[in-house]
Amino acid sequence: MFFQVDPRSQIPIWEQIVNQIKELVLKGILTPGDKIPSVRELASHLIVNPNTVSKAYQELERQGVIETMRGRGTFICTKLTTNADEQKIALLQDKTKQLVIEGSYLGVSSDTFTEWIRAFAKELGGNERD
Amino acid sequence: MFFQVDPRSQIPIWEQIVNQIKELVLKGILTPGDKIPSVRELASHLIVNPNTVSKAYQELERQGVIETMRGRGTFICTKLTTNADEQKIALLQDKTKQLVIEGSYLGVSSDTFTEWIRAFAKELGGNERD
Amino acid sequence: MFFQVDPRSQIPIWEQIVNQIKELVLKGILTPGDKIPSVRELASHLIVNPNTVSKAYQELERQGVIETMRGRGTFICTKLTTNADEQKIALLQDKTKQLVIEGSYLGVSSDTFTEWIRAFAKELGGNERD
Amino acid sequence: MFFQVDPRSQIPIWEQIVNQIKELVLKGILTPGDKIPSVRELASHLIVNPNTVSKAYQELERQGVIETMRGRGTFICTKLTTNADEQKIALLQDKTKQLVIEGSYLGVSSDTFTEWIRAFAKELGGNERD
DNA sequence: GTGGTCTAGACCACT
DNA sequence: GTGGTCTAGACCACA
């Protein structure tokens, strides 16, 4: 369980934690049933406020990525729910669009984006859920 | 000049305005030298506070997309600066990565992303700056 | 943290704040990592609207002088970026030229200017970034 | 009488006119008694609003640089008033200070400033009034 | 008419 | 507690 958090980033710390855990799951480094650190452990490791980790865990549970077992700890969820919410997909498409616009002003072509995506999808390996 | 703004969106209104104007420029709907609506006009059209529009315009000027001429109005910038800031590109790549992760959980494959990007790049037409 | 602001000055209040903080940094009174007053604190101290201080802080962050950490506060930036933008330097040279013209009409010789500059550079001490 | 004005500049157009005329006087290109163009002439030459030129001339007259003779035209003032107003000099010194601070952040040393000033003073030639 | 600045006060997200 | 965003007004300088 090694990851870091950038307190300077514009992305909220709790969201950085959410993202990184989801990434570790997709990469197969964290597999269903794995125990993840307690809120206090992770907080002291990342040197952040426990409330921040707590918020991240709540969000992950809400998304069905982890589940907490009273008195036992927090675990990666067994059933991987792929909830293809249309609204969320539309939002994702919109974000992609904005990214292309930003890229265009920075001289990043659509081919470069495609390259990035393929490279990263490969990094995720066969764990990609599609 | 048709665009709308969603006051309930997570994205700040001023940023929505920035994004949409940048999109209109890339699509060639707004061309260099074009006058864009005055702060007050756009504010009353979008039913938004003039200060909010003003903030958007100031950000666009900082990015070199528009230029303001005191007492005359605001215009699309003549020289299209493509500033390939490495840091910003790294940030863009990171955002793309996060998007792929999110997509993965929603059942959106890397091919779908590529498709979206190509489609949108085509929409931008020959005005894409790469 | 002692500074004042002149609401009757031609120079916008937010810019006065920017200037004074940059001066304090150069003088070494504020050193990298130092926490600066919160928006509300400084606003009530200067008897100015919080929005005005906020605008100053945002400008300082854009210039890489300070960095804000959500929920924690605002701090003097660690890495001192000296961005030698040619355009800005040309602008600076132009301003200097105008100053000499103004001075000439007020009976201020070029030697007097040089004297002022040397005296002030000394005041900045070894913290001058050249 | 050749000069130009930059409508994109942050400096108000009327002030650019004031500055340039004062510079021409200091350089000896315009000498006491010389007739300068009428408001309308200069306005059409610079392609600016006549009101703007008018404002510049009013300011120049207020500063004692030019004088208007009813029905005859506008002329460079004969007696060169060197009004060493202490307040104005203090203001000038303050502006110089701000310039040094700005320069410091752009990597412009005090020596460079001195160099610039000397070079420009030389450009003004023996017409410098000190 | 234009944009720029400022105030007074509100609400929100993050830590 | 922190900064970020937004509204509803006002006043000013510029052209």
Side-chain angles (χ1 to χ4, degrees):
Chain A
M1 207 44 185
F2 303 118
F3 54 85
Q4 290 170 358
V5 131
D6 177 13
R8 283 180 190 79
S9 166
Q10 300 202 356
I11 300 163
I13 294 174
W14 67 264
E15 202 172 336
Q16 291 183 46
I17 297 172
V18 168
N19 289 338
Q20 300 209 36
I21 290 189
K22 286 170 84 172
E23 184 178 344
L24 289 171
V25 171
L26 286 175
K27 283 186 176 170
I29 295 170
L30 288 176
T31 54
D34 278 4
K35 188 173 188 302
I36 62 174
S38 73
V39 168
R40 286 174 195 165
E41 273 178 323
L42 189 53
S44 68
H45 177 251
L46 298 177
I47 315 172
V48 297
N49 193 308
N51 289 331
T52 306
V53 178
S54 179
K55 179 162 187 178
Y57 278 17
Q58 280 172 35
E59 176 62 19
L60 282 165
E61 190 161 18
R62 208 186 56 73
Q63 290 186 21
V65 177
I66 65 176
E67 56 186 349
T68 62
M69 313 279 272
R70 284 276 184 79
R72 292 187 46 208
T74 309
F75 303 84
I76 301 298
C77 222
T78 311
K79 45 177 173 180
L80 306 173
T81 49
T82 302
N83 53 339
D85 187 334
E86 278 201 19
Q87 280 196 343
K88 286 182 183 172
I89 289 178
L91 203 67
L92 198 70
Q93 193 170 5
D94 219 68
K95 281 186 187 172
T96 308
K97 185 175 142 184
Q98 281 312 322
L99 231 54
V100 174
I101 291 176
E102 271 189 62
S104 198
Y105 276 91
L106 288 169
V108 174
S109 72
S110 55
D111 288 340
T112 306
F113 275 110
T114 302
E115 210 175 293
W116 287 351
I117 288 170
R118 290 209 184 287
F120 188 62
K122 199 173 176 182
E123 212 180 304
L124 291 182
N127 303 291
E128 202 181 355
R129 310 175 172 187
D130 51 359
Chain B
M1 263 321 244
F2 306 118
F3 51 66
Q4 290 171 357
V5 130
D6 176 13
R8 284 167 303 185
S9 165
Q10 301 262 17
I11 301 164
I13 295 174
W14 66 263
E15 202 170 336
Q16 293 182 46
I17 296 171
V18 167
N19 289 338
Q20 300 208 35
I21 289 191
K22 286 170 85 170
E23 184 178 345
L24 288 172
V25 170
L26 286 176
K27 283 186 176 170
I29 295 170
L30 288 175
T31 55
D34 278 4
K35 190 176 187 301
I36 62 175
S38 77
V39 170
R40 290 169 178 80
E41 267 181 325
L42 189 53
S44 68
H45 177 252
L46 298 177
I47 314 173
V48 152
N49 190 288
N51 284 330
T52 306
V53 177
S54 181
K55 181 165 187 178
Y57 279 17
Q58 282 175 40
E59 174 63 18
L60 282 165
E61 182 162 27
R62 212 184 56 70
Q63 290 187 19
V65 177
I66 64 177
E67 58 185 347
T68 65
M69 281 152 88
R70 285 153 293 96
R72 292 192 50 204
T74 308
F75 304 84
I76 301 298
C77 217
T78 309
K79 33 181 168 178
L80 308 172
T81 50
T82 302
N83 55 337
D85 187 332
E86 279 199 20
Q87 281 196 342
K88 287 181 183 171
I89 289 177
L91 203 70
L92 197 70
Q93 194 171 3
D94 219 69
K95 282 186 187 172
T96 308
K97 185 175 143 183
Q98 284 311 322
L99 227 56
V100 174
I101 291 175
E102 273 189 61
S104 197
Y105 276 89
L106 289 168
V108 175
S109 72
S110 56
D111 288 340
T112 308
F113 275 111
T114 301
E115 208 176 294
W116 286 351
I117 289 169
R118 290 211 185 287
F120 187 62
K122 198 174 176 183
E123 213 181 304
L124 292 182
N127 303 292
E128 202 181 352
R129 306 177 174 185
D130 50 3
Chain C
M1 258 329 237
F2 305 118
F3 51 88
Q4 291 171 357
V5 130
D6 177 12
R8 284 168 302 186
S9 165
Q10 302 263 15
I11 301 165
I13 294 174
W14 66 264
E15 202 171 336
Q16 293 181 46
I17 296 171
V18 167
N19 289 338
Q20 300 208 36
I21 289 191
K22 285 170 85 171
E23 184 178 342
L24 288 172
V25 171
L26 286 176
K27 283 185 177 169
I29 295 171
L30 289 176
T31 54
D34 277 5
K35 190 175 187 301
I36 61 175
S38 76
V39 169
R40 291 170 177 81
E41 267 181 324
L42 189 53
S44 69
H45 177 252
L46 297 178
I47 314 172
V48 153
N49 190 289
N51 283 329
T52 306
V53 178
S54 181
K55 182 166 187 176
Y57 279 16
Q58 282 176 40
E59 175 63 17
L60 281 165
E61 183 162 26
R62 212 184 57 68
Q63 290 186 20
V65 177
I66 65 177
E67 59 184 348
T68 66
M69 281 153 87
R70 286 153 292 96
R72 292 192 48 204
T74 308
F75 304 83
I76 301 297
C77 217
T78 310
K79 30 181 170 177
L80 309 172
T81 49
T82 302
N83 55 338
D85 187 333
E86 280 199 20
Q87 281 195 343
K88 287 181 183 170
I89 289 177
L91 202 69
L92 197 70
Q93 193 170 4
D94 219 70
K95 282 186 187 171
T96 307
K97 185 175 146 185
Q98 284 310 323
L99 227 56
V100 174
I101 291 175
E102 272 189 62
S104 197
Y105 276 89
L106 289 169
V108 174
S109 73
S110 56
D111 288 339
T112 307
F113 275 111
T114 302
E115 207 176 296
W116 286 351
I117 289 170
R118 289 211 184 285
F120 188 63
K122 198 175 175 183
E123 213 180 305
L124 292 182
N127 303 292
E128 201 181 354
R129 306 177 175 187
D130 50 2
Chain D
M1 207 39 188
F2 304 117
F3 55 85
Q4 290 172 358
V5 131
D6 178 13
R8 282 182 190 78
S9 167
Q10 299 202 356
I11 301 163
I13 293 174
W14 67 264
E15 202 171 336
Q16 292 182 45
I17 297 171
V18 167
N19 288 338
Q20 300 209 36
I21 289 188
K22 285 170 84 171
E23 185 178 344
L24 289 172
V25 170
L26 286 175
K27 283 185 176 170
I29 295 170
L30 288 176
T31 53
D34 277 5
K35 189 175 188 297
I36 62 174
S38 73
V39 168
R40 286 173 193 165
E41 272 178 325
L42 188 54
S44 67
H45 177 252
L46 298 176
I47 315 175
V48 296
N49 193 308
N51 289 332
T52 306
V53 178
S54 178
K55 178 161 188 178
Y57 278 17
Q58 281 172 36
E59 176 63 17
L60 282 165
E61 190 162 15
R62 206 185 59 71
Q63 289 186 21
V65 177
I66 64 176
E67 56 185 347
T68 60
M69 313 278 273
R70 285 277 185 78
R72 292 188 48 208
T74 308
F75 304 84
I76 301 299
C77 223
T78 311
K79 45 176 174 179
L80 306 173
T81 50
T82 302
N83 53 338
D85 186 334
E86 278 200 21
Q87 280 196 342
K88 286 182 183 172
I89 288 177
L91 202 68
L92 199 68
Q93 194 171 3
D94 219 68
K95 283 186 186 172
T96 307
K97 186 174 141 185
Q98 280 311 322
L99 231 53
V100 174
I101 291 176
E102 273 190 59
S104 197
Y105 276 90
L106 288 169
V108 175
S109 72
S110 56
D111 288 340
T112 307
F113 275 110
T114 302
E115 210 175 292
W116 286 351
I117 289 170
R118 290 210 185 287
F120 188 63
K122 198 173 179 183
E123 213 182 302
L124 291 181
N127 303 289
E128 202 182 352
R129 307 175 174 186
D130 51 0

